[in-house]
Amino acid sequence: MKSVKDFSLLAGAMTRALAKKISFNAKSDDMADILKKYPKLVVALNHGPMLGPLASTITLNKLYMENGGKDRSPIVIMWRFFYQIPIYKYAIQYFTQVDRGLNFDEFLAKMEGEGFTDLFVKPEGENCNYGDGLEIQPFLSPRFIEFSLRLNTPILVLVHQGSENWAKTLPVSKRLDPVLKKLPKKSFDRIKETRLFSVPFLVKRLKELKVMYKLYQPQITVDDLNVDLDTRKTLLKRESDNVRKLMQSMVDELKNT
C-alpha cells in the first residue's frame, strides 16, 4: 500500500511537465482542517477530457502534501476496461492501488478493512468523451454517495479547469448515426444528446491549472437506504444531482476568474 508521499516524486515530475502553475481558489474550504477532521474521505472529481485525470493526479498530490495528508493512502475507482490493456494496465494498477476493476462491495471492504483512507472517483466516467471538458456530464452511477454514507464521511468535491485544452471537441453529424448506432447504446445515446466527441490532443504544458474544492454532506443518512431498491436509487440520484450541480457551479467559477 502506497501513501501520498510515495507518489510525490513522480507527481512532482508530472507537475513540471504538465502545468506551469497550480492555483487553488480562495473560496475553497480549509483542506488542512478537512484532512485533520476526517480520517476517511470520498473525493468526487470532475473528469474534464479523457486526459483530465492527469490534472487530477498532480492536483491531489500537491493538495494533500501541503495540508498534512502525506501519509494518507488513496485508492482510485477507474474504468475496468483499462485493466485489460497490455502494458498500460500496469500504470493503472500503480496509481489506483488495485489490480483489476472491483465492484462496490470490494471497494467498500478495502476502505473499511485494508487501511485505505481516501476513495477517489470521477462520476462522469466515459461520458467525458461526449463533452467539451467544461460542462459536467451526467454521472454514470450515484453510488459514490452510498460510499460516503456507509463510510460515515462527507464528500470532498474537487474540480479543476484547464485540462480542456488537452482535447479537441468535434461536432458529430447526424449523417453518421447509421454507423454510430453500432456503438454501445449508452455511447450512442450520449452522442445523440450532445452531438460532440472529445478527441485527446497533444498534451501541452498549461499556463495555469485552476482548482477549487468544497465539502458536501449528503442530506440523507445510511438508514434512509433501508428501503426498496427503486426508492434507494431515487434517493441516491437526488444526492448525486446535487453534487453535479455543485461541480458545475465550481467549474463555472474557475472559468470566470
Side-chain angles (χ1 to χ4, degrees):
M1 181 189 304
K2 293 180 286 293
S3 68
V4 170
K5 184 178 180 181
D6 293 329
F7 289 108
S8 62
L9 186 62
L10 178 57
M14 290 173 61
T15 300
R16 291 188 291 274
L18 296 173
K20 295 180 180 179
K21 178 182 179 183
I22 299 178
S23 58
F24 297 104
N25 189 278
K27 295 181 181 179
S28 299
D29 291 337
D30 187 329
M31 190 64 178
D33 183 64
I34 291 170
L35 293 177
K36 183 178 180 180
K37 187 174 182 179
Y38 299 104
K40 291 185 184 291
L41 276 175
V42 174
V43 184
L45 306 146
N46 71 318
H47 200 294
M50 189 180 296
L51 296 176
L54 294 174
S56 298
T57 297
I58 61 177
T59 292
L60 284 165
N61 192 270
K62 180 177 176 64
L63 194 58
Y64 274 56
M65 286 292 293
E66 294 179 354
N67 289 278
K70 66 179 182 179
D71 294 322
R72 293 172 73 107
S73 297
I75 190 172
V76 184
I77 297 179
M78 189 74 74
W79 189 25
R80 62 183 59 222
F81 173 74
F82 287 147
Y83 294 94
Q84 302 172 24
I85 303 175
I87 309 300
Y88 182 72
K89 67 180 181 180
Y90 297 113
I92 295 299
Q93 291 170 350
Y94 177 81
F95 281 109
T96 64
Q97 304 219 67
V98 296
D99 60 3
R100 58 186 173 84
L102 305 181
N103 61 32
F104 180 92
D105 290 335
E106 290 170 322
F107 271 113
L108 186 62
K110 283 187 171 293
M111 287 293 293
E112 290 180 326
E114 296 189 19
F116 289 101
T117 59
D118 300 79
L119 180 67
F120 298 162
V121 58
K122 298 177 180 64
E124 297 164 273
E126 58 263 36
N127 281 345
C128 71
N129 293 319
Y130 312 108
D132 62 3
L134 291 170
E135 181 179 355
I136 304 299
Q137 298 301 304
F139 292 166
L140 292 180
S141 170
R143 293 200 76 185
F144 68 97
I145 301 291
E146 187 172 351
F147 278 123
S148 167
L149 298 176
R150 297 202 182 280
L151 293 170
N152 191 31
T153 188
I155 299 167
L156 179 66
V157 181
L158 188 148
V159 304
H160 71 271
Q161 184 265 315
S163 70
E164 68 275 5
N165 294 299
W166 294 341
K168 290 291 185 182
T169 304
L170 304 179
V172 180
S173 171
K174 292 182 179 180
R175 290 178 294 180
L176 296 175
D177 284 358
V179 176
L180 296 176
K181 69 180 181 181
K182 297 178 181 179
L183 293 170
K185 184 178 184 303
K186 287 184 178 180
S187 298
F188 184 47
D189 287 345
R190 291 304 302 147
I191 289 177
K192 288 192 296 182
E193 178 74 21
T194 67
R195 308 309 315 184
L196 297 174
F197 187 74
S198 178
V199 180
F201 197 59
L202 292 175
V203 176
K204 60 181 179 180
R205 193 178 184 208
L206 302 176
K207 292 182 179 179
E208 183 178 20
L209 181 61
K210 299 179 182 180
V211 182
M212 188 175 186
Y213 44 91
K214 295 281 187 179
L215 207 61
Y216 177 81
Q217 181 67 59
Q219 302 305 299
I220 58 175
T221 69
V222 69
D223 291 336
D224 292 325
L225 301 182
N226 295 325
V227 290
D228 63 90
L229 182 59
D230 287 342
T231 303
R232 186 190 312 165
K233 287 180 177 179
T234 298
L235 291 173
L236 294 175
K237 176 65 164 54
R238 184 178 66 197
E239 289 292 335
S240 72
D241 285 346
N242 289 341
V243 172
R244 185 183 173 199
K245 290 176 183 176
L246 177 59
M247 273 190 180
Q248 188 65 67
S249 68
M250 292 162 67
V251 170
D252 291 343
E253 173 78 18
L254 294 178
K255 184 174 61 174
N256 294 322
T257 56

